[in-house]
Amino acid sequence: MAEVHALDNYYLAITLLITIGYQLFFFSIAFSLKFDKLTDFAGGTNFVVLAIITLSFSGHHNARQIVASLFIMLWGLRLSAFLLFRIIKTGKDDRFDDKRDKFFSFLGFWVFQMVWVWTVSLPVTVLNSPNVTRYPQPPFGTGRDIAGVVLYAIGFVMESVSDVQKYHFRSKPENKGKICDVGLFTWTRHPNYFGEIIIQFSIYMIAVSPAAYHYITGSAYAALYATIIGPFFLTLLLMFVSGLPLQERPGAKKRYESGNHWESFSRYIQRTSILIPFPPQLYVRMPTILKRTVFLEFPMYVFDPAKHADMGKVREREAEEGQREGRQSADQLVDGQHPSS
């Protein structure tokens, strides 16, 4: 099959245009119908679409291209299917409560999703492009290929299993408001994020093999190495934008102010690594300086009640609890004085 040259020889422009069109199509449905259920589905399946198109356009389907393309397709399909299943069960996405009726605010999320999909897809996009496939390729099975496959398997299992574990934990009524500290969550507070990061770096590791073993030269060599921006972008996104910053301090603040299992949660974060899996028996004894550096629990994630809590809400909640306890004590006293029949 002859390779297809579309706009540029790295498929950057065509994949960008496809991503924009794909996301705008689903945005128009979501905004018009105020429909939340397609948002994450559109993101995950967009990866699949780009991988299929670039692999189809490529005139040389070697094993490395097929494996890398299948890996990102499998990840995208699993992620979109799980998130679609979850949103169908919950009914709506709370992230859009203040955006759903505002055109530009809602569109802003979809534009960001375009950037996410296009950037994270770069290793597979460039690997499948004519400027790379025109060079001879090293046989699949290099040390980087094997390491990439192993890391992908670890990351895929971690992300998939942790998603299922958290869903089952939260679906039980007796666990409402409790801390999910079962399974992989005993070793890390965010095993799904860690797994996702590992997945993207493993795909990059496979994709960069032709450059690492000097089978390609010139601009193609630089382009393949430059696609590391994909996994780095995802990592920065999860660590500093939409992942941990929205989960850690805000979640602790909400629990502290509402008194929702705060003591249990406080003990949990003291013994459990924020991202990198580590035995809790060792992590709880670890010096704070190591937690804040090597284990990535940066100060921006840490909740300090004295600095970050709304003490007005805390006092209000304590007053309500005091009144409730007073009423219960009064009721018990009345019941105790009531003559038996």
Side-chain angles (χ1 to χ4, degrees), residues 33-52:
L33 303 179
K34 304 297 181 286
F35 194 63
D36 293 343
K37 295 179 175 61
L38 293 177
T39 309
D40 291 319
F41 176 81
T45 54
N46 202 157
F47 289 99
V48 180
V49 170
L50 295 187
I52 290 175

mmCIF file with all atom_site columns, all heavy atoms in Angstrom, residues 33-52:
data_model
loop_
_atom_site.group_PDB
_atom_site.id
_atom_site.type_symbol
_atom_site.label_atom_id
_atom_site.label_alt_id
_atom_site.label_comp_id
_atom_site.label_asym_id
_atom_site.label_entity_id
_atom_site.label_seq_id
_atom_site.pdbx_PDB_ins_code
_atom_site.Cartn_x
_atom_site.Cartn_y
_atom_site.Cartn_z
_atom_site.occupancy
_atom_site.B_iso_or_equiv
_atom_site.pdbx_formal_charge
_atom_site.auth_seq_id
_atom_site.auth_comp_id
_atom_site.auth_asym_id
_atom_site.auth_atom_id
_atom_site.pdbx_PDB_model_num
ATOM 1   N N   . LEU A 1 33 ? -27.613 20.060 23.621 1.00 0.00 ? 33 LEU A N   1
ATOM 2   C CA  . LEU A 1 33 ? -28.514 19.194 24.393 1.00 0.00 ? 33 LEU A CA  1
ATOM 3   C C   . LEU A 1 33 ? -28.220 19.203 25.889 1.00 0.00 ? 33 LEU A C   1
ATOM 4   O O   . LEU A 1 33 ? -28.899 18.507 26.646 1.00 0.00 ? 33 LEU A O   1
ATOM 5   C CB  . LEU A 1 33 ? -28.426 17.758 23.866 1.00 0.00 ? 33 LEU A CB  1
ATOM 6   C CG  . LEU A 1 33 ? -28.735 17.560 22.381 1.00 0.00 ? 33 LEU A CG  1
ATOM 7   C CD1 . LEU A 1 33 ? -28.575 16.099 21.993 1.00 0.00 ? 33 LEU A CD1 1
ATOM 8   C CD2 . LEU A 1 33 ? -30.150 18.056 22.056 1.00 0.00 ? 33 LEU A CD2 1
ATOM 9   N N   . LYS A 1 34 ? -27.188 19.995 26.314 1.00 0.00 ? 34 LYS A N   1
ATOM 10  C CA  . LYS A 1 34 ? -26.764 20.007 27.729 1.00 0.00 ? 34 LYS A CA  1
ATOM 11  C C   . LYS A 1 34 ? -26.522 18.568 28.195 1.00 0.00 ? 34 LYS A C   1
ATOM 12  O O   . LYS A 1 34 ? -27.025 18.100 29.202 1.00 0.00 ? 34 LYS A O   1
ATOM 13  C CB  . LYS A 1 34 ? -27.819 20.691 28.606 1.00 0.00 ? 34 LYS A CB  1
ATOM 14  C CG  . LYS A 1 34 ? -28.157 22.116 28.171 1.00 0.00 ? 34 LYS A CG  1
ATOM 15  C CD  . LYS A 1 34 ? -26.945 23.011 28.294 1.00 0.00 ? 34 LYS A CD  1
ATOM 16  C CE  . LYS A 1 34 ? -27.256 24.452 27.901 1.00 0.00 ? 34 LYS A CE  1
ATOM 17  N NZ  . LYS A 1 34 ? -27.407 24.661 26.442 1.00 0.00 ? 34 LYS A NZ  1
ATOM 18  N N   . PHE A 1 35 ? -25.706 17.871 27.403 1.00 0.00 ? 35 PHE A N   1
ATOM 19  C CA  . PHE A 1 35 ? -25.506 16.433 27.527 1.00 0.00 ? 35 PHE A CA  1
ATOM 20  C C   . PHE A 1 35 ? -24.067 16.156 27.931 1.00 0.00 ? 35 PHE A C   1
ATOM 21  O O   . PHE A 1 35 ? -23.131 16.410 27.165 1.00 0.00 ? 35 PHE A O   1
ATOM 22  C CB  . PHE A 1 35 ? -25.827 15.784 26.175 1.00 0.00 ? 35 PHE A CB  1
ATOM 23  C CG  . PHE A 1 35 ? -25.982 14.299 26.207 1.00 0.00 ? 35 PHE A CG  1
ATOM 24  C CD1 . PHE A 1 35 ? -26.991 13.697 26.936 1.00 0.00 ? 35 PHE A CD1 1
ATOM 25  C CD2 . PHE A 1 35 ? -25.124 13.490 25.477 1.00 0.00 ? 35 PHE A CD2 1
ATOM 26  C CE1 . PHE A 1 35 ? -27.150 12.315 26.942 1.00 0.00 ? 35 PHE A CE1 1
ATOM 27  C CE2 . PHE A 1 35 ? -25.268 12.116 25.468 1.00 0.00 ? 35 PHE A CE2 1
ATOM 28  C CZ  . PHE A 1 35 ? -26.284 11.537 26.205 1.00 0.00 ? 35 PHE A CZ  1
ATOM 29  N N   . ASP A 1 36 ? -23.853 15.636 29.146 1.00 0.00 ? 36 ASP A N   1
ATOM 30  C CA  . ASP A 1 36 ? -22.503 15.426 29.668 1.00 0.00 ? 36 ASP A CA  1
ATOM 31  C C   . ASP A 1 36 ? -21.881 14.091 29.280 1.00 0.00 ? 36 ASP A C   1
ATOM 32  O O   . ASP A 1 36 ? -20.679 13.900 29.458 1.00 0.00 ? 36 ASP A O   1
ATOM 33  C CB  . ASP A 1 36 ? -22.513 15.494 31.209 1.00 0.00 ? 36 ASP A CB  1
ATOM 34  C CG  . ASP A 1 36 ? -22.830 16.890 31.706 1.00 0.00 ? 36 ASP A CG  1
ATOM 35  O OD1 . ASP A 1 36 ? -22.723 17.839 30.915 1.00 0.00 ? 36 ASP A OD1 1
ATOM 36  O OD2 . ASP A 1 36 ? -23.186 17.020 32.885 1.00 0.00 ? 36 ASP A OD2 1
ATOM 37  N N   . LYS A 1 37 ? -22.671 13.189 28.794 1.00 0.00 ? 37 LYS A N   1
ATOM 38  C CA  . LYS A 1 37 ? -22.214 11.804 28.689 1.00 0.00 ? 37 LYS A CA  1
ATOM 39  C C   . LYS A 1 37 ? -21.213 11.544 27.569 1.00 0.00 ? 37 LYS A C   1
ATOM 40  O O   . LYS A 1 37 ? -20.580 10.493 27.533 1.00 0.00 ? 37 LYS A O   1
ATOM 41  C CB  . LYS A 1 37 ? -23.424 10.886 28.539 1.00 0.00 ? 37 LYS A CB  1
ATOM 42  C CG  . LYS A 1 37 ? -24.332 10.864 29.763 1.00 0.00 ? 37 LYS A CG  1
ATOM 43  C CD  . LYS A 1 37 ? -25.525 9.960  29.573 1.00 0.00 ? 37 LYS A CD  1
ATOM 44  C CE  . LYS A 1 37 ? -26.350 9.873  30.852 1.00 0.00 ? 37 LYS A CE  1
ATOM 45  N NZ  . LYS A 1 37 ? -26.884 11.167 31.269 1.00 0.00 ? 37 LYS A NZ  1
ATOM 46  N N   . LEU A 1 38 ? -21.041 12.498 26.648 1.00 0.00 ? 38 LEU A N   1
ATOM 47  C CA  . LEU A 1 38 ? -20.162 12.270 25.520 1.00 0.00 ? 38 LEU A CA  1
ATOM 48  C C   . LEU A 1 38 ? -18.785 12.918 25.672 1.00 0.00 ? 38 LEU A C   1
ATOM 49  O O   . LEU A 1 38 ? -17.905 12.697 24.851 1.00 0.00 ? 38 LEU A O   1
ATOM 50  C CB  . LEU A 1 38 ? -20.812 12.798 24.231 1.00 0.00 ? 38 LEU A CB  1
ATOM 51  C CG  . LEU A 1 38 ? -22.058 12.057 23.747 1.00 0.00 ? 38 LEU A CG  1
ATOM 52  C CD1 . LEU A 1 38 ? -22.617 12.727 22.510 1.00 0.00 ? 38 LEU A CD1 1
ATOM 53  C CD2 . LEU A 1 38 ? -21.726 10.596 23.446 1.00 0.00 ? 38 LEU A CD2 1
ATOM 54  N N   . THR A 1 39 ? -18.593 13.711 26.709 1.00 0.00 ? 39 THR A N   1
ATOM 55  C CA  . THR A 1 39 ? -17.379 14.517 26.818 1.00 0.00 ? 39 THR A CA  1
ATOM 56  C C   . THR A 1 39 ? -16.127 13.659 26.898 1.00 0.00 ? 39 THR A C   1
ATOM 57  O O   . THR A 1 39 ? -15.209 13.787 26.072 1.00 0.00 ? 39 THR A O   1
ATOM 58  C CB  . THR A 1 39 ? -17.468 15.436 28.049 1.00 0.00 ? 39 THR A CB  1
ATOM 59  O OG1 . THR A 1 39 ? -18.710 16.151 28.007 1.00 0.00 ? 39 THR A OG1 1
ATOM 60  C CG2 . THR A 1 39 ? -16.315 16.415 28.057 1.00 0.00 ? 39 THR A CG2 1
ATOM 61  N N   . ASP A 1 40 ? -16.035 12.799 27.898 1.00 0.00 ? 40 ASP A N   1
ATOM 62  C CA  . ASP A 1 40 ? -14.844 11.944 28.050 1.00 0.00 ? 40 ASP A CA  1
ATOM 63  C C   . ASP A 1 40 ? -14.782 10.880 26.961 1.00 0.00 ? 40 ASP A C   1
ATOM 64  O O   . ASP A 1 40 ? -13.685 10.475 26.550 1.00 0.00 ? 40 ASP A O   1
ATOM 65  C CB  . ASP A 1 40 ? -14.834 11.299 29.435 1.00 0.00 ? 40 ASP A CB  1
ATOM 66  C CG  . ASP A 1 40 ? -14.583 12.324 30.533 1.00 0.00 ? 40 ASP A CG  1
ATOM 67  O OD1 . ASP A 1 40 ? -13.728 13.204 30.337 1.00 0.00 ? 40 ASP A OD1 1
ATOM 68  O OD2 . ASP A 1 40 ? -15.249 12.250 31.580 1.00 0.00 ? 40 ASP A OD2 1
ATOM 69  N N   . PHE A 1 41 ? -15.944 10.443 26.494 1.00 0.00 ? 41 PHE A N   1
ATOM 70  C CA  . PHE A 1 41 ? -15.978 9.477  25.383 1.00 0.00 ? 41 PHE A CA  1
ATOM 71  C C   . PHE A 1 41 ? -15.325 10.078 24.145 1.00 0.00 ? 41 PHE A C   1
ATOM 72  O O   . PHE A 1 41 ? -14.548 9.421  23.453 1.00 0.00 ? 41 PHE A O   1
ATOM 73  C CB  . PHE A 1 41 ? -17.422 9.086  25.084 1.00 0.00 ? 41 PHE A CB  1
ATOM 74  C CG  . PHE A 1 41 ? -17.573 8.165  23.903 1.00 0.00 ? 41 PHE A CG  1
ATOM 75  C CD1 . PHE A 1 41 ? -17.354 6.806  24.036 1.00 0.00 ? 41 PHE A CD1 1
ATOM 76  C CD2 . PHE A 1 41 ? -17.931 8.669  22.659 1.00 0.00 ? 41 PHE A CD2 1
ATOM 77  C CE1 . PHE A 1 41 ? -17.488 5.953  22.948 1.00 0.00 ? 41 PHE A CE1 1
ATOM 78  C CE2 . PHE A 1 41 ? -18.065 7.827  21.565 1.00 0.00 ? 41 PHE A CE2 1
ATOM 79  C CZ  . PHE A 1 41 ? -17.844 6.467  21.706 1.00 0.00 ? 41 PHE A CZ  1
ATOM 80  N N   . ALA A 1 42 ? -15.605 11.357 23.877 1.00 0.00 ? 42 ALA A N   1
ATOM 81  C CA  . ALA A 1 42 ? -15.017 12.034 22.723 1.00 0.00 ? 42 ALA A CA  1
ATOM 82  C C   . ALA A 1 42 ? -13.507 12.148 22.862 1.00 0.00 ? 42 ALA A C   1
ATOM 83  O O   . ALA A 1 42 ? -12.773 12.032 21.876 1.00 0.00 ? 42 ALA A O   1
ATOM 84  C CB  . ALA A 1 42 ? -15.638 13.422 22.557 1.00 0.00 ? 42 ALA A CB  1
ATOM 85  N N   . GLY A 1 43 ? -13.032 12.365 24.078 1.00 0.00 ? 43 GLY A N   1
ATOM 86  C CA  . GLY A 1 43 ? -11.596 12.463 24.293 1.00 0.00 ? 43 GLY A CA  1
ATOM 87  C C   . GLY A 1 43 ? -10.883 11.148 24.064 1.00 0.00 ? 43 GLY A C   1
ATOM 88  O O   . GLY A 1 43 ? -9.911  11.062 23.305 1.00 0.00 ? 43 GLY A O   1
ATOM 89  N N   . GLY A 1 44 ? -11.364 10.081 24.698 1.00 0.00 ? 44 GLY A N   1
ATOM 90  C CA  . GLY A 1 44 ? -10.704 8.784  24.585 1.00 0.00 ? 44 GLY A CA  1
ATOM 91  C C   . GLY A 1 44 ? -10.746 8.208  23.178 1.00 0.00 ? 44 GLY A C   1
ATOM 92  O O   . GLY A 1 44 ? -9.745  7.674  22.679 1.00 0.00 ? 44 GLY A O   1
ATOM 93  N N   . THR A 1 45 ? -11.898 8.310  22.506 1.00 0.00 ? 45 THR A N   1
ATOM 94  C CA  . THR A 1 45 ? -12.014 7.724  21.172 1.00 0.00 ? 45 THR A CA  1
ATOM 95  C C   . THR A 1 45 ? -11.248 8.526  20.128 1.00 0.00 ? 45 THR A C   1
ATOM 96  O O   . THR A 1 45 ? -10.890 7.991  19.072 1.00 0.00 ? 45 THR A O   1
ATOM 97  C CB  . THR A 1 45 ? -13.492 7.623  20.751 1.00 0.00 ? 45 THR A CB  1
ATOM 98  O OG1 . THR A 1 45 ? -14.121 8.913  20.873 1.00 0.00 ? 45 THR A OG1 1
ATOM 99  C CG2 . THR A 1 45 ? -14.229 6.612  21.614 1.00 0.00 ? 45 THR A CG2 1
ATOM 100 N N   . ASN A 1 46 ? -10.974 9.806  20.408 1.00 0.00 ? 46 ASN A N   1
ATOM 101 C CA  . ASN A 1 46 ? -10.184 10.616 19.472 1.00 0.00 ? 46 ASN A CA  1
ATOM 102 C C   . ASN A 1 46 ? -8.786  10.027 19.291 1.00 0.00 ? 46 ASN A C   1
ATOM 103 O O   . ASN A 1 46 ? -8.213  10.041 18.192 1.00 0.00 ? 46 ASN A O   1
ATOM 104 C CB  . ASN A 1 46 ? -10.104 12.038 19.991 1.00 0.00 ? 46 ASN A CB  1
ATOM 105 C CG  . ASN A 1 46 ? -9.798  13.063 18.903 1.00 0.00 ? 46 ASN A CG  1
ATOM 106 O OD1 . ASN A 1 46 ? -10.102 14.245 19.032 1.00 0.00 ? 46 ASN A OD1 1
ATOM 107 N ND2 . ASN A 1 46 ? -9.164  12.648 17.833 1.00 0.00 ? 46 ASN A ND2 1
ATOM 108 N N   . PHE A 1 47 ? -8.202  9.484  20.368 1.00 0.00 ? 47 PHE A N   1
ATOM 109 C CA  . PHE A 1 47 ? -6.895  8.824  20.259 1.00 0.00 ? 47 PHE A CA  1
ATOM 110 C C   . PHE A 1 47 ? -6.972  7.639  19.296 1.00 0.00 ? 47 PHE A C   1
ATOM 111 O O   . PHE A 1 47 ? -6.043  7.408  18.508 1.00 0.00 ? 47 PHE A O   1
ATOM 112 C CB  . PHE A 1 47 ? -6.431  8.328  21.632 1.00 0.00 ? 47 PHE A CB  1
ATOM 113 C CG  . PHE A 1 47 ? -6.024  9.409  22.586 1.00 0.00 ? 47 PHE A CG  1
ATOM 114 C CD1 . PHE A 1 47 ? -6.885  9.860  23.572 1.00 0.00 ? 47 PHE A CD1 1
ATOM 115 C CD2 . PHE A 1 47 ? -4.761  9.977  22.501 1.00 0.00 ? 47 PHE A CD2 1
ATOM 116 C CE1 . PHE A 1 47 ? -6.502  10.853 24.454 1.00 0.00 ? 47 PHE A CE1 1
ATOM 117 C CE2 . PHE A 1 47 ? -4.365  10.971 23.381 1.00 0.00 ? 47 PHE A CE2 1
ATOM 118 C CZ  . PHE A 1 47 ? -5.243  11.411 24.351 1.00 0.00 ? 47 PHE A CZ  1
ATOM 119 N N   . VAL A 1 48 ? -8.055  6.909  19.378 1.00 0.00 ? 48 VAL A N   1
ATOM 120 C CA  . VAL A 1 48 ? -8.236  5.742  18.512 1.00 0.00 ? 48 VAL A CA  1
ATOM 121 C C   . VAL A 1 48 ? -8.326  6.170  17.057 1.00 0.00 ? 48 VAL A C   1
ATOM 122 O O   . VAL A 1 48 ? -7.691  5.568  16.170 1.00 0.00 ? 48 VAL A O   1
ATOM 123 C CB  . VAL A 1 48 ? -9.508  4.961  18.929 1.00 0.00 ? 48 VAL A CB  1
ATOM 124 C CG1 . VAL A 1 48 ? -9.689  3.742  18.035 1.00 0.00 ? 48 VAL A CG1 1
ATOM 125 C CG2 . VAL A 1 48 ? -9.440  4.552  20.390 1.00 0.00 ? 48 VAL A CG2 1
ATOM 126 N N   . VAL A 1 49 ? -9.088  7.216  16.798 1.00 0.00 ? 49 VAL A N   1
ATOM 127 C CA  . VAL A 1 49 ? -9.263  7.715  15.434 1.00 0.00 ? 49 VAL A CA  1
ATOM 128 C C   . VAL A 1 49 ? -7.931  8.149  14.830 1.00 0.00 ? 49 VAL A C   1
ATOM 129 O O   . VAL A 1 49 ? -7.598  7.785  13.691 1.00 0.00 ? 49 VAL A O   1
ATOM 130 C CB  . VAL A 1 49 ? -10.265 8.890  15.417 1.00 0.00 ? 49 VAL A CB  1
ATOM 131 C CG1 . VAL A 1 49 ? -10.277 9.573  14.055 1.00 0.00 ? 49 VAL A CG1 1
ATOM 132 C CG2 . VAL A 1 49 ? -11.666 8.412  15.773 1.00 0.00 ? 49 VAL A CG2 1
ATOM 133 N N   . LEU A 1 50 ? -7.140  8.895  15.594 1.00 0.00 ? 50 LEU A N   1
ATOM 134 C CA  . LEU A 1 50 ? -5.848  9.370  15.075 1.00 0.00 ? 50 LEU A CA  1
ATOM 135 C C   . LEU A 1 50 ? -4.897  8.212  14.808 1.00 0.00 ? 50 LEU A C   1
ATOM 136 O O   . LEU A 1 50 ? -4.179  8.212  13.803 1.00 0.00 ? 50 LEU A O   1
ATOM 137 C CB  . LEU A 1 50 ? -5.215  10.357 16.061 1.00 0.00 ? 50 LEU A CB  1
ATOM 138 C CG  . LEU A 1 50 ? -5.951  11.675 16.289 1.00 0.00 ? 50 LEU A CG  1
ATOM 139 C CD1 . LEU A 1 50 ? -5.105  12.599 17.165 1.00 0.00 ? 50 LEU A CD1 1
ATOM 140 C CD2 . LEU A 1 50 ? -6.302  12.359 14.979 1.00 0.00 ? 50 LEU A CD2 1
ATOM 141 N N   . ALA A 1 51 ? -4.865  7.230  15.699 1.00 0.00 ? 51 ALA A N   1
ATOM 142 C CA  . ALA A 1 51 ? -3.970  6.089  15.502 1.00 0.00 ? 51 ALA A CA  1
ATOM 143 C C   . ALA A 1 51 ? -4.368  5.283  14.271 1.00 0.00 ? 51 ALA A C   1
ATOM 144 O O   . ALA A 1 51 ? -3.503  4.859  13.482 1.00 0.00 ? 51 ALA A O   1
ATOM 145 C CB  . ALA A 1 51 ? -3.974  5.205  16.746 1.00 0.00 ? 51 ALA A CB  1
ATOM 146 N N   . ILE A 1 52 ? -5.647  5.055  14.080 1.00 0.00 ? 52 ILE A N   1
ATOM 147 C CA  . ILE A 1 52 ? -6.116  4.291  12.920 1.00 0.00 ? 52 ILE A CA  1
ATOM 148 C C   . ILE A 1 52 ? -5.787  5.025  11.620 1.00 0.00 ? 52 ILE A C   1
ATOM 149 O O   . ILE A 1 52 ? -5.298  4.432  10.652 1.00 0.00 ? 52 ILE A O   1
ATOM 150 C CB  . ILE A 1 52 ? -7.634  4.032  13.025 1.00 0.00 ? 52 ILE A CB  1
ATOM 151 C CG1 . ILE A 1 52 ? -7.929  3.038  14.152 1.00 0.00 ? 52 ILE A CG1 1
ATOM 152 C CG2 . ILE A 1 52 ? -8.185  3.518  11.703 1.00 0.00 ? 52 ILE A CG2 1
ATOM 153 C CD1 . ILE A 1 52 ? -9.406  2.831  14.407 1.00 0.00 ? 52 ILE A CD1 1
#
